[in-house]
Amino acid sequence: MIDLNNLTVTFAGTPLFSEIGFKLTPGNRVGLIGKNGAGKSTLLKVIAGEQEYSGTLAIDKGTKIGFLKQDIEFINGRNLLEEAYLAFTEILKIESDLEKIHISLTEREDFESEAYHQLLHQMEELNHRWQVLGGVAYKGETEKILQGLGFKPTDFTKPTETFSGGWRMRIELAKLLLQQNDILLLDEPTNHLDIDSIIWFENFLKSYQGIVLLVSHDKMFLNNVTNRTIEISLGSIYDFKKSYSQYIEIRKELIEKQLQSQKNQEKQIKHTEQLIEKFRYKASKAAFAQSLIKKLDKVERIEVDVEDHSAMNLRFPLSDQPGKVIFTLENISKDYGEKKVLQNINLLIERGCKTAFVGQNGMGKTTLAKILVNEIRYQGKVELGHNVKIGYFAQNHSDNLNRENTLLQEMENVANDANRIKIRSILGSFLFSGDTVEKKVKVLSGGERNRLALAKLLLNPFNVLIMDEPTNHLDMISKSVLKEALLNFDGSLIVVSHDRDFLQGLVNKVYEFRDFKIKEYLGDIDYYLEQRNFDNFREVEKVNLTMENTKNSENPKKLDLKTQKKIKNQISKIEMQIAAIETEISKMDQELADNSEVVIKNPDFFKIYQDKKDKVVALMDLWTEMQSELE
């Protein structure tokens, strides 16, 4: 259980939120919502023990907390498996301690000493604890979870720095799943995830028995997962045991009722004040007037919940109009090593076109956007039209921000003499005013960094705007402001997005990426979905995923009876081998417990012992593979 009372967090003397409180119990799946900078990520950090606060926070003793942050920072040099194994902190610590003891035992010759026997006893206890924690099976379990999340065995030895943001998020999800935490704190977990990962994660959270507290601006994800909503607004919280959309309706109705009640009360107060004014100077009515005054003083005035309607002011600057044709692409192909992404793409994009790139992750949407801005190498030819000036909002825009700069310094770095005087005005229109501009980039929330990246775009005019997942991290109001600005932009637009609400009414042409190719749909996003006979992107991407899986499986045929019998016999033999080796391991455990001098008589004792354990793990993996083949 989590119990917060009178919790306050202050930055530079200003409260972010003040004296808030709530209780969470197992089974609560809470959507934590609010505007960018309201304090959602900060609240998660408080619960995780990473942020100072005043007030009280009580969490049951022994509770395990898993925290998925917006920004995932891996230490370079570890491969995928090594990073995933970090989920088993205690097991790794025991293995390290056992290794040190093993080295010490092999180097010592005082076999009869108390110190030597103490090491043997310590090793025995550590071995027992290692087994209790699942030391025998944790490596095999890690590989199963990683493969379930889409990683291939060939990925296991790849350095983590070679994986994209979406795949790094999956590594963190794997670690959270392996840890078996009691509380999950999830900060924007669906950013960079493709549809199959989102659906998998939704199903996992729905069946999760612990407490979930998640920050997200994905309405569908919130509605599918949460059973409670807590909004942070202007330092206060609003808490209802409803999903996001239900909460929004209840909140709206509540404010309407408050406004009506306040209006009726003000009418009654005004009438009472008129009576007081009428009778207070008449001797015969003075007592009556005094009673009205006392009654009025006791009236508890109805207050309406204050809503934060502040929003950024966004209008994209347009440079000189370009020629009729913006881009001409001829035979564009792109490979990442052995992985083919795009093949022989031919495309012509004309002035004024508002275009959406859609499709499952990994199909080449971001790759083509990067090709258009000449950020990566490719095969083929891209020709820019006359007078084309490009503005580019990258999906990984945070990588292009200097974390140690202040907001003002970050803007000044891309400004010129002509627009330098506009910097503070532009920052103000993005809700960065006063001393806020002296904040360092590293303390900004994900949504605030998005706003800063958008602000930098405004310093130099362009006539073609390319945006890759621009709504990631943005709150609902900021999404609406961005959409309105794009609708009013007179230039050409190319936007990569999975957000149907955002694209609806914004674009007039859709390109679907699939099977290394692109297909054109001459209409808006609703027309595209209608042509594909779907209601939303999820259905499109689920079908694409199913087709891809079917294609990759190469239409496997059902195994004949003879083959099934052969595999069953092999499984039985493996099971017998596992049982036999585990019996041998148990005997060695008992032998060591009964007579520690066995190590003296057999210097290779521990090597043989570990080899047997490794053999069991390998046989268990083989057993799993053969069971899958049989199924």
Side-chain angles (χ1 to χ4, degrees):
M1 184 178 77
I2 302 174
D3 189 358
L4 285 82
N5 277 301
N6 297 321
L7 195 76
T8 299
V9 173
T10 303
F11 285 117
T14 303
L16 187 60
F17 40 78
S18 181
E19 298 184 350
I20 65 172
F22 54 82
K23 291 182 181 179
L24 302 180
T25 56
N28 286 160
R29 299 191 300 275
V30 182
L32 187 60
I33 66 172
K35 292 188 63 177
N36 295 140
K40 304 183 295 295
S41 298
T42 300
L43 184 55
L44 294 187
K45 290 177 182 177
V46 166
I47 296 172
E50 298 183 6
Q51 173 66 50
E52 293 183 356
Y53 62 92
S54 61
T56 59
L57 168 63
I59 300 176
D60 290 344
K61 189 176 180 181
T63 298
K64 293 175 65 179
I65 299 177
F67 187 11
L68 183 71
K69 302 178 182 180
Q70 282 185 20
D71 299 315
I72 300 169
E73 296 182 3
F74 292 149
I75 296 175
N76 291 347
R78 286 198 288 254
N79 64 33
L80 172 59
L81 275 180
E82 290 168 340
E83 184 68 35
Y85 289 157
L86 294 180
F88 304 95
T89 309
E90 190 172 354
I91 289 178
L92 295 179
K93 175 68 166 58
I94 291 173
E95 288 183 342
S96 176
D97 290 344
L98 283 170
E99 179 65 21
K100 291 175 183 175
I101 292 173
H102 177 66
I103 292 171
S104 180
L105 287 171
T106 57
E107 292 175 348
R108 299 179 70 135
E109 296 181 356
D110 54 336
F111 305 128
E112 300 299 328
S113 69
E114 178 65 26
Y116 189 85
H117 284 276
Q118 184 63 35
L119 281 175
L120 290 175
H121 179 67
Q122 186 181 353
M123 184 177 64
E124 180 187 346
E125 289 185 337
L126 287 172
N127 260 317
H128 177 70
R129 179 64 179 162
W130 182 80
Q131 291 181 47
V132 168
L133 291 172
V136 173
Y138 82 93
K139 291 184 178 179
E141 185 66 20
T142 300
E143 293 184 12
K144 290 176 195 173
I145 293 297
L146 288 173
Q147 290 185 65
L149 284 170
F151 292 100
K152 298 175 183 177
T154 52
D155 294 326
F156 291 166
T157 56
K158 290 181 180 177
T160 55
E161 57 264 31
T162 64
F163 292 98
S164 66
W167 287 103
R168 288 190 176 200
M169 185 71 77
R170 295 191 201 197
I171 299 172
E172 286 299 293
L173 289 177
K175 287 159 67 176
L176 289 180
L177 183 57
L178 289 163
Q179 286 169 347
Q180 298 181 340
N181 294 292
D182 304 301
I183 299 172
L184 290 180
L185 307 175
L186 309 171
D187 199 352
E188 298 282 8
T190 60
N191 282 352
H192 310 301
L193 290 187
D194 57 20
I195 193 64
D196 54 320
S197 300
I198 292 174
I199 292 171
W200 172 87
F201 198 39
E202 283 180 358
N203 291 331
F204 166 68
L205 291 177
K206 283 186 222 177
S207 61
Y208 181 69
Q209 299 300 309
I211 296 172
V212 179
L213 186 59
L214 68 92
V215 175
S216 179
H217 298 116
D218 184 333
K219 289 190 283 188
M220 185 176 288
F221 182 71
L222 287 169
N223 285 331
N224 287 346
V225 169
T226 61
N227 53 23
R228 183 172 170 182
T229 301
I230 295 177
E231 180 182 10
I232 303 178
S233 178
L234 297 173
S236 301
I237 65 166
Y238 301 89
D239 184 0
F240 288 87
K241 293 181 180 179
K242 298 291 182 181
S243 65
Y244 173 77
S245 292
Q246 292 172 319
Y247 163 75
I248 293 300
E249 288 301 314
I250 291 172
R251 183 101 158 82
K252 183 179 178 183
E253 290 174 8
L254 180 63
I255 290 175
E256 287 176 354
K257 288 179 181 178
Q258 287 176 338
L259 283 168
Q260 186 60 46
S261 297
Q262 187 186 60
K263 185 177 179 181
N264 292 337
Q265 187 186 60
E266 288 174 350
K267 185 178 180 181
Q268 185 64 40
I269 289 171
K270 185 176 181 181
H271 177 66
T272 303
E273 287 174 340
Q274 288 174 342
L275 287 175
I276 292 170
E277 190 64 27
K278 182 178 180 181
F279 296 125
R280 69 190 307 170
Y281 299 113
K282 294 183 178 180
S284 60
K285 299 290 184 178
F288 175 62
Q290 285 300 315
S291 68
L292 289 177
I293 291 172
K294 290 178 181 179
K295 182 180 179 182
L296 194 60
D297 289 340
K298 293 179 181 178
V299 171
E300 189 173 333
R301 304 297 172 108
I302 295 172
E303 294 184 1
V304 178
D305 291 336
V306 180
E307 292 186 285
D308 187 356
H309 293 292
S310 59
M312 60 183 182
N313 180 20
L314 179 57
R315 188 172 184 85
F316 292 110
L318 182 69
S319 65
D320 298 336
Q321 283 288 359
K324 184 178 180 181
V325 176
I326 302 297
F327 293 109
T328 303
L329 283 66
E330 296 180 7
N331 297 320
I332 297 299
S333 297
K334 177 61 181 176
D335 301 329
Y336 291 100
E338 297 179 359
K339 184 180 179 182
K340 185 187 299 181
V341 180
L342 298 172
Q343 186 174 18
N344 296 326
I345 301 298
N346 293 291
L347 181 63
L348 187 144
I349 298 178
E350 296 182 331
R351 181 183 63 212
C353 188
K354 301 287 179 75
T355 304
F357 287 176
V358 303
Q360 189 183 347
N361 277 5
M363 293 294 108
K365 305 184 300 296
T366 294
T367 296
L368 188 57
K370 289 181 177 180
I371 288 173
L372 292 176
V373 297
N374 200 29
E375 191 174 282
I376 57 175
R377 294 182 179 181
Y378 56 91
Q379 295 80 47
K381 181 181 178 183
V382 175
E383 186 175 336
L384 267 66
H386 172 68
N387 204 29
V388 168
K389 295 179 181 177
I390 300 173
Y392 178 46
F393 183 93
Q395 185 179 132
N396 61 336
H397 63 82
S398 292
D399 295 342
N400 300 322
L401 300 174
N402 187 329
R403 293 171 56 83
E404 296 302 322
N405 276 348
T406 64
L407 276 67
L408 204 56
Q409 289 169 337
E410 191 66 21
M411 293 287 285
E412 287 173 344
N413 285 347
V414 294
N416 54 43
D417 293 338
N419 58 30
R420 199 172 302 277
I421 59 173
K422 299 179 182 178
I423 288 177
R424 285 185 177 271
S425 175
I426 292 173
L427 284 171
S429 69
F430 282 84
L431 307 181
F432 299 122
S433 57
D435 293 339
T436 307
V437 300
E438 299 298 338
K439 276 185 178 181
K440 287 197 172 185
V441 171
K442 63 182 178 183
V443 304
L444 299 180
S445 69
E448 288 173 321
R449 287 199 298 271
N450 251 28
R451 296 209 308 263
L452 178 59
L454 287 170
K456 289 174 69 175
L457 270 179
L458 268 62
L459 284 170
N460 296 295
F462 44 81
N463 48 39
V464 176
L465 179 55
I466 300 175
M467 309 193 84
D468 192 358
E469 299 290 0
T471 60
N472 279 354
H473 301 294
L474 286 184
D475 59 51
M476 310 301 181
I477 294 177
S478 297
K479 281 186 186 182
S480 297
V481 171
L482 174 59
K483 183 174 179 177
E484 186 66 25
L486 293 175
L487 286 169
N488 292 325
F489 178 55
D490 292 329
S492 305
L493 173 67
I494 297 172
V495 58
V496 179
S497 180
H498 289 98
D499 192 332
R500 177 184 177 178
D501 289 339
F502 181 71
L503 293 177
Q504 208 164 28
L506 177 62
V507 299
N508 52 31
K509 185 180 290 187
V510 176
Y511 287 103
E512 182 184 17
F513 287 63
R514 185 167 37 145
D515 298 332
F516 322 122
K517 300 289 185 180
I518 61 175
K519 184 175 180 180
E520 183 182 66
Y521 291 83
L522 297 173
D524 62 11
I525 201 66
D526 290 328
Y527 172 79
Y528 158 71
L529 292 169
E530 180 185 324
Q531 293 298 303
R532 297 282 272 119
N533 292 316
F534 295 115
D535 292 328
N536 55 58
F537 284 153
R538 293 191 170 210
E539 294 185 30
V540 174
E541 294 184 19
K542 275 198 280 189
V543 168
N544 288 349
L545 182 64
T546 302
M547 291 173 65
E548 184 69 18
N549 290 339
T550 302
K551 182 179 177 181
N552 290 340
S553 65
E554 297 179 351
N555 301 316
K557 296 179 180 179
K558 187 176 180 180
L559 297 174
D560 57 52
L561 293 175
K562 185 177 179 181
T563 305
Q564 288 184 44
K565 185 176 180 180
K566 182 180 177 181
I567 293 174
K568 286 179 180 178
N569 288 336
Q570 290 174 323
I571 288 174
S572 296
K573 289 180 181 179
I574 292 171
E575 289 172 346
M576 291 173 65
Q577 286 179 277
I578 291 173
I581 297 173
E582 286 182 336
T583 300
E584 292 172 7
I585 291 172
S586 297
K587 286 181 180 179
M588 293 181 76
D589 285 333
Q590 190 61 45
E591 192 177 358
L592 184 61
D594 294 342
N595 181 13
S596 59
E597 291 185 0
V598 68
V599 180
I600 302 171
K601 298 175 183 177
N602 184 4
D604 294 328
F605 180 88
F606 293 115
K607 183 178 184 304
I608 296 169
Y609 184 82
Q610 189 60 48
D611 287 345
K612 289 183 184 296
K613 286 192 170 184
D614 292 342
K615 181 66 174 176
V616 169
V617 173
L619 286 170
M620 288 176 70
D621 288 344
L622 181 59
W623 182 90
T624 302
E625 290 177 13
M626 301 200 78
Q627 281 285 9
S628 299
E629 187 178 349
L630 189 62
E631 293 167 2

